[in-house]
Amino acid sequence: MSVKFTETVLRDGQQSLIATRLKIEDILPIITKLDQAGYYALEVWGGATFDSCMRFLNEDPWERLRKIRKEVKQTKLQMLLRGQNILGYKHYPDDVLERFIKKSVENGIDVIRIFDALNDIRNMEKAVEFTKKYGAEAQGSIVYTTSPIHNSETFVKKAKILAERGIESLCIKDMAGLLTPFKAFDLVKKLKSEINLPVEIHSHNTAGFAFMTYLKAVEAGVDIIDTAISAFSSGTAQPTTETMAAVLKNSEFDASLNAKILEEVGEYFREIRNKYQDYLGSYEVDPRIITNQLPGGMLSNLRNQLREQNQLDRYEEILEEIPKVRKDLGYPPLVTPTSQIVGTQAVFNIVTGKRYGFVSKEFKNYLRGMYGRPPGEIKPELIEKTINKEEVITNRPADNLEPAYEKAAAEIKNISSREEDILSYILFPEVAEKFLKEHR
C-alpha cells in the first residue's frame, strides 16, 4: 500500500525551527507548487501559528488561512487543535469551541487534528463532535510520551476509546521525538489490529530517531507520515520530505510524490530561510531530549527567552530540573500547555534557587484539575503546600465554565463585530485587541 505524506513546513516545520515567524508573503509564492506535489494534506494552521500571526507578524490568522485556501485546489488543508484549549493555554467553554471549529472549516480547513495534553479524552469529545458536525475530518491524537506509567497498552486503550467517540483517523503525536523505531513498529501493529481507522505518525527528529521510526511505522502498516521539506526539517522538526519520499520510492509504499516539484520547493525554502536567521533553531540531534522530553518548538523558544534574560548559562540546569517537575505532577506528556507549565516551573525553581517557592497561576490550575485528569498521581505534599485541597475538581473542566462568546462580542463591539475577530479576542485578549485596533 502506498503511504501518504502530510507536509508540515507551513506549520510545525517552521514553528519548530524559526519560532513560528514564517510570513504569508513567503508562503504564497510557493503554495501552488506545494499543492501540485502530491501530498495528502498540508498542515497550515493551528498550534502556535495563530497567535504568532497577530503577536509577531502583524497578520490576521484567519486572513492567512483564506489566502492559502484560495490557492490550494487539490490538497487537504489541516490544522492542529488543542481540544478544549482550542489554540490557547486554558480551557474554553463549549460555545466558543463550537464557533471556532465552525469558522475554521468555513475558512478552509479540511482536517482537524485534535489532541489533549493529558490524553484526557473528556477534553476532546466535544471537538470531535463539532468537527464532524461542520463537515471536516476529525483526527484524534494520542500524545506519545515515556514514563513508568505509559506503555503501548495505555496508548491503544486511549485510541480505542477515541474510535468509539467517532474519530475518523488517528494520529500518534510524538511531539518530543521520543518514539523509538521498534516501539513504533509495536504500537502501530497493535493499533492497526485494534482499530479500523487510518493511522498517521507525527514525530520530530530531536533525538535522532524519527527517520528510522517512520520506516518501522511504515513497515507496520501506518497510513500517513508527517514530513517537512528539507530546509525546515530534521533537528527539532519533522523528518525530511525528500528523503522519506526517496526511501519509499520503488517500494510497495511509494507515495509517488513529484520529485522535481519537491526539489523546487526545497530550493525555494532554502533561499527564504536566510531571511529568518535571527530565529533559526537547532538542526542538531540532541539525545538529552530522551530525559527532558521537551517538544521541538519549546526548546527553541526556551533558548530564545533565556538568551533575552541573560540566563542562557542556566539552560543545562533547567533541562535537568524539567523531568523532576514532571514526575511531581504525575508524568504529564510535555506538549502545549503542559510543556509550558512544567518548563516555566523548572525555570522558576532554578533561577530563584528555591523549588516551588514561586509557582504560576497555570501551575496552580493544573494542581486543581483545571486542565483535566493527570496520567499519574500528583505529589500529595505539592498540593498541600500550594493550594487548598477542596479546590480540586474531578469533572470535565469545561463543564464548570460559563458561555463566553456573547460577553466577548459586547466587549469589543466598538472595534469589530466580525465573528472571527471575536474568537481571536477570546483566545488572546490583549494581543488581539491591540491588533484589531490597528487593523479595523
Side-chain angles (χ1 to χ4, degrees):
M1 70 161 204
S2 81
V3 171
K4 295 173 180 156
F5 279 61
T6 292
E7 174 59 62
T8 67
V9 64
L10 303 182
R11 207 286 296 175
D12 206 0
Q14 62 106 1
Q15 181 175 317
S16 295
L17 285 171
I18 53 166
T20 331
R21 293 309 203 277
L22 188 64
K23 295 175 178 164
I24 189 68
E25 68 195 48
D26 292 325
I27 292 173
L28 292 178
I30 199 67
I31 194 75
T32 310
K33 290 282 183 197
L34 283 165
D35 189 26
Q36 293 164 350
Y39 293 109
Y40 172 71
L42 301 174
E43 192 196 39
V44 297
W45 215 57
T49 61
F50 189 93
D51 99 272
S52 289
C53 276
M54 295 184 289
R55 198 184 293 272
F56 302 122
L57 308 180
N58 202 23
E59 284 180 31
D60 179 348
W62 299 97
E63 184 61 24
R64 179 183 180 114
L65 174 58
R66 285 192 290 273
K67 283 176 177 172
I68 293 171
R69 178 74 281 173
K70 193 173 166 217
E71 303 300 327
V72 175
K73 311 282 193 242
Q74 52 205 39
T75 316
K76 291 176 192 256
L77 295 185
Q78 183 170 311
M79 75 167 289
L80 181 68
L81 186 87
R82 300 169 186 154
Q84 209 70 36
N85 289 9
I86 307 181
L87 299 176
Y89 302 97
K90 63 176 188 182
H91 282 224
Y92 297 91
D94 292 338
D95 70 319
V96 175
L97 177 67
E98 179 166 7
R99 281 174 184 265
F100 188 90
I101 287 172
K102 179 172 184 274
K103 281 291 159 194
S104 300
V105 177
E106 281 175 11
N107 281 281
I109 290 295
D110 301 298
V111 182
I112 301 184
R113 177 176 293 169
I114 300 156
F115 78 94
D116 176 70
L118 299 175
N119 284 322
D120 186 339
I121 287 163
R122 300 173 306 169
N123 298 333
M124 298 165 68
E125 288 168 339
K126 285 290 181 190
V128 170
E129 179 191 318
F130 298 145
T131 299
K132 291 174 74 174
K133 178 176 175 181
Y134 294 106
E137 178 188 321
Q139 183 177 81
S141 306
I142 43 174
V143 175
Y144 184 81
T145 189
T146 58
S147 82
I149 60 170
H150 290 91
N151 55 44
S152 285
E153 281 65 35
T154 57
F155 294 123
V156 171
K157 198 168 146 195
K158 294 275 182 196
K160 284 167 81 173
I161 301 169
L162 281 170
E164 285 162 15
R165 298 294 188 275
I167 62 166
E168 291 153 299
S169 60
L170 178 83
C171 174
I172 302 166
K173 183 173 165 54
D174 176 28
M175 63 285 158
L178 298 168
L179 183 55
T180 55
F182 293 105
K183 282 194 173 150
F185 186 87
D186 177 56
L187 180 55
V188 172
K189 270 275 185 241
K190 284 177 176 154
L191 287 169
K192 292 298 286 183
S193 71
E194 294 282 353
I195 60 168
N196 187 25
L197 292 171
V199 176
E200 184 159 356
I201 188 164
H202 172 95
S203 188
H204 295 247
N205 201 42
T206 320
F209 301 138
F211 289 85
M212 298 177 281
T213 295
Y214 276 20
L215 188 56
K216 292 304 285 182
V218 166
E219 288 175 351
V222 90
D223 300 274
I224 312 166
I225 58 176
D226 282 13
T227 60
I229 209 77
S230 47
F232 288 103
S233 72
S234 199
T236 53
Q238 282 69 54
T240 310
T241 304
E242 301 97 312
T243 308
M244 288 308 304
V247 165
L248 303 180
K249 194 167 175 56
N250 299 330
S251 76
E252 61 184 296
F253 309 113
D254 191 342
S256 307
L257 292 182
N258 186 316
K260 187 175 178 300
I261 289 180
L262 292 184
E263 203 175 301
E264 289 175 46
V265 173
E267 199 48 53
Y268 175 83
F269 278 110
R270 264 186 291 284
E271 282 295 310
I272 288 297
R273 193 174 62 195
N274 296 328
K275 291 171 65 171
Y276 297 95
Q277 288 297 330
D278 289 354
Y279 305 105
L280 203 53
S282 172
Y283 289 87
E284 282 174 28
V285 163
D286 187 352
R288 289 172 300 184
I289 193 77
I290 299 162
T291 314
N292 66 51
Q293 301 208 358
L294 272 195
M298 175 130 188
L299 274 176
S300 53
N301 279 322
L302 179 63
R303 285 187 74 92
N304 271 340
Q305 285 161 358
L306 291 171
R307 192 179 291 116
E308 282 164 16
Q309 293 158 15
N310 294 322
Q311 296 276 0
L312 199 53
D313 57 323
R314 313 298 294 273
Y315 183 64
E316 303 299 330
E317 288 173 81
I318 290 162
L319 288 190
E320 282 175 28
E321 178 66 9
I322 286 165
K324 296 172 188 168
V325 174
R326 179 175 178 247
K327 183 184 177 187
D328 291 345
L329 291 181
Y331 296 107
L334 294 186
V335 63
T336 305
T338 48
S339 52
Q340 284 81 355
I341 293 168
V342 171
T344 303
Q345 192 55 50
V347 172
F348 290 151
N349 288 0
I350 295 300
V351 172
T352 64
K354 190 170 181 228
R355 294 194 85 225
Y356 306 114
F358 177 80
V359 298
S360 66
K361 185 178 92 186
E362 290 78 13
F363 188 86
K364 286 180 180 171
N365 284 342
Y366 177 94
L367 298 181
R368 290 182 183 118
M370 288 167 77
Y371 289 96
R373 196 183 287 125
E377 194 192 0
I378 297 172
K379 197 175 177 182
E381 51 265 44
L382 200 53
I383 292 178
E384 285 157 26
K385 181 183 170 184
T386 316
I387 58 165
N388 188 334
K389 256 172 118 170
E390 279 67 61
E391 297 173 55
V392 177
I393 64 164
T394 55
N395 64 340
R396 182 181 83 113
D399 288 339
N400 304 332
L401 301 174
E402 294 292 320
Y405 182 82
E406 297 302 341
K407 181 173 175 280
E411 284 170 8
I412 63 158
K413 67 176 190 294
N414 296 332
I415 305 172
S416 176
S417 59
R418 198 179 294 185
E419 201 169 339
E420 287 90 338
D421 291 344
I422 295 162
L423 290 163
S424 299
Y425 170 73
I426 292 169
L427 295 183
F428 302 101
E430 288 151 29
V431 175
E433 188 172 4
K434 180 174 178 288
F435 176 84
L436 294 171
K437 277 179 175 166
E438 288 168 15
H439 290 265
R440 299 285 182 260

